[in-house]
Amino acid sequence: MKTFFRNKKKRKSESKENKSTVFKRANTAGTFTESAAHTSTSGLKEKPQGPSGFFERLKSGLSKTRKSLASGLEKIFSTNTCVDDEMLEALEELLITADMGVHTTIELIERISKRSAEISDADRLKEVLREETLTFLENAAEVSKDINLKPCVILVVGVNGTGKTTTIGKLAAQFSKEGRKVIVAAADTFRAAAIEQLAIWAERAGAHIVKHKENADPSAVAFDAVNAAIARDADVVLIDTAGRLHTRVNLMEELKKIKRTVSKRCDGAPHRTVLVLDATTGQNALSQAKLFHEALGITDMVLTKLDGTAKGGIVVSICNTLSIPISYIGVGEKIEDLQEFDPKLFVDALF
C-alpha cells in the first residue's frame, strides 16, 4: 500500500513537471519570451466537416435572416400582383431590416426595377435577388491568400469581443494542418488574459508563440515574432493586437506603429492586414470597417458569429460599400467552423 502511494505521488510530480515545460514566463518587463507549443495537436483532432456539413451550419446560422426575407417576400406578393412603386417600397423596407444597408438596398431596388417584367411571383423575385446579391459579393476585389512569402506576416485587427484571438487560433490550426510552420505574436498586451488565451490556442494549433510580459510594448512583441520567424525559417506569422473601442485615436496610432515596426524587419510586412468583425453587430460592423480601413488599409476581412444572427445582410453591405473582400466566415466555436468565404454558398444559405 505504501508503495502504491509513493508511485502515485511520483506520477503527480512528473505530470506537474511536464506541464511546466510547455510555457516559459518572463520575470521582467520587456523580456523576450518564446514558447514552443508545437508538440501538441490535440485541437486538430476534431472531426472535420465536409462542405455540405459547413453549408448546413451556415444555413442554420442564417435561418433568422432567411425566414424573415422569405416571409416578407410572400407578404409583399400577397398584397401586390405586379412590381410597382408600392411593392418596391415594401421590398426596400424588408432589405434594410435584414441589414443590407441603405446604399446597397437602393442599388438592389434599382436593379430589380429594371428587371420587373420578368418577375411574376415571390419565387422569381427571390431568384432575381439572389442573382443581383451575388454580383455584389463577387465584385469585391479578390484577396490573395498566397502565403508562399517566407515569412508571410499577417496583422489581425478588430475591436474587443469580435473573436479576434479565437480566429487567429483557428487560422494557425489550419496553416499547421497544411504543414506550415506558424508563429503567433501575443501583441495584445493590455487586455487581461489575452496572452494566456492565445497561448492555449497556440498549443492546440501546434504553433509557436512569442510573448512578452503584460503591458509590454506591442510593437516589440511583433518585431520579435518576425525576428523569430526569420531565424526559425517559419512560414506564417499571425499578430494578435489590442482592440479597445474603435473611436479611440490612440488605438489606430498603436496599430500603425506595429505596421511600421514589422516593415523594418521584413520587406512588405505586414503582407495582409485582416479585420475581424462580429456579424451580430450589423451596421456597427460597417462603421468599424470604414474606420479601420481608413487608418490601416485593410486587405481582407473575417466575419464571425454568423451562427444565429438576424443581420446576415451586413455581409452584402460591407462587400458592396467598401469593396473589401471577405476571406473567411465563422459559424461556431470549433476549428472547422471557420471556413473560406464562398459567395455562392453564402447567397444560397441567405435566400
Side-chain angles (χ1 to χ4, degrees), residues 99-259:
D99 250 342
M100 289 281 190
V102 175
H103 175 70
T104 302
T105 296
I106 290 172
E107 279 195 53
L108 269 173
I109 293 298
E110 288 176 353
R111 294 186 182 195
I112 290 168
S113 180
K114 291 177 182 177
R115 300 178 62 176
S116 59
E118 59 184 274
I119 301 172
S120 57
D121 55 32
D123 287 337
R124 181 54 190 155
L125 177 56
K126 193 186 295 184
E127 283 296 321
V128 173
L129 270 173
R130 184 185 284 116
E131 291 166 10
E132 297 298 343
T133 300
L134 186 59
T135 62
F136 287 148
L137 299 178
E138 291 179 335
N139 286 342
E142 280 290 327
V143 61
S144 173
K145 297 192 184 77
D146 182 13
I147 56 174
N148 291 325
L149 294 165
K150 213 166 181 180
C152 178
V153 181
I154 303 174
L155 181 68
V156 184
V157 301
V159 303
N160 287 342
T162 58
K164 185 169 69 271
T165 303
T166 301
T167 297
I168 289 173
K170 292 177 180 179
L171 288 174
Q174 290 186 15
F175 291 143
S176 293
K177 273 186 175 181
E178 294 169 3
R180 301 180 189 275
K181 195 171 184 179
V182 182
I183 288 179
V184 295
D188 182 359
T189 60
F190 302 112
R191 181 170 64 87
I195 298 172
E196 287 77 7
Q197 183 187 0
L198 191 64
I200 292 168
W201 269 108
E203 184 181 5
R204 292 184 67 199
H208 295 273
I209 181 169
V210 174
K211 57 182 181 177
H212 287 197
K213 198 173 182 180
E214 194 173 323
N215 294 320
D217 181 4
S219 296
V221 180
F223 183 87
D224 286 344
V226 176
N227 221 9
I230 293 171
R232 291 172 174 265
D233 196 32
D235 299 293
V236 185
V237 180
L238 291 162
I239 304 174
D240 192 13
T241 59
R244 293 183 302 276
L245 290 177
H246 57 282
T247 50
R248 291 278 292 276
V249 176
N250 64 332
L251 171 61
M252 296 304 176
E253 293 305 317
E254 188 178 276
L255 296 174
K256 288 177 185 177
K257 182 183 175 185
I258 293 175
K259 291 190 74 170

Side-chain angles (χ1 to χ4, degrees), residues 99 161 277-285 303-311 314:
D99 250 342
L277 295 169
D278 178 352
T280 63
T281 59
Q283 289 300 306
N284 189 41
L303 255 73
T304 62
K305 307 181 185 180
L306 276 167
D307 51 330
T309 177
K311 301 178 178 181
I314 189 59

